[in-house]
Amino acid sequence: MNDKYTPNPFLTTLGLARRAGKLILGWDRISEYSGHISFCITSNDAAERTVLNAQKRAETIHVDYSMEVLGSALGVKKVAVVAVTDDGFAELLKKKMKNN
C-alpha cells in the first residue's frame, strides 16, 4: 500500500502565486482592487452572486474544489473567489488546470 502524498499541481501553483503576492482573496478585496486582474477562480460552492460579480470583473474559471479546499491551499480557512493579478501565473495555472 502506498501512503505517499501526491501534491495537486494546480493547488500547489495557486499556493506559490499566493506566496508571491499575485493573488487577491475574497470578493470584497477583489471589488476594491483597481489594478489588472488576469482572471478569477471560483469554488464549486461559491454563491451565485459571487460568481456573477467575478464574471463581471474578469474572465472567470469555475473549479471543482470547495471553498475549504481552495482555502487550505492558500493558508486560510475558506475562500470562494480568488483573483490572479499576474499574467505569468495566470498562464501557468490554466496549463495546470488542463493537465489536472
Side-chain angles (χ1 to χ4, degrees):
M1 184 167 145
N2 187 359
D3 290 336
K4 185 176 179 180
Y5 170 72
T6 305
N8 178 303
F10 173 76
L11 294 175
T12 301
T13 304
L14 199 61
L16 287 172
R18 168 84 192 274
R19 288 188 291 283
K22 304 301 182 184
L23 298 182
I24 302 169
L25 308 182
W27 176 248
D28 290 340
R29 289 186 177 157
I30 292 169
S31 66
E32 295 170 355
Y33 183 72
S34 61
H36 169 72
I37 293 178
S38 299
F39 73 95
C40 292
I41 299 167
T42 58
S43 69
N44 63 6
D45 53 352
E48 185 177 337
R49 184 173 180 167
T50 300
V51 174
L52 291 173
N53 285 335
Q55 289 172 340
K56 289 177 186 175
R57 182 64 156 92
E59 174 189 359
T60 302
I61 297 171
H62 193 70
V63 294
D64 196 27
Y65 298 110
S66 69
M67 289 188 279
E68 288 81 14
V69 171
L70 283 180
S72 177
L74 299 171
V76 297
K77 189 170 184 174
K78 60 184 180 175
V79 63
V81 61
V82 176
V84 182
T85 61
D86 180 81
D87 291 336
F89 269 113
E91 291 305 314
L92 186 57
L93 285 164
K94 287 177 182 180
K95 182 179 175 182
K96 300 289 183 183
M97 278 193 295
K98 288 179 185 176
N99 294 336
N100 202 10

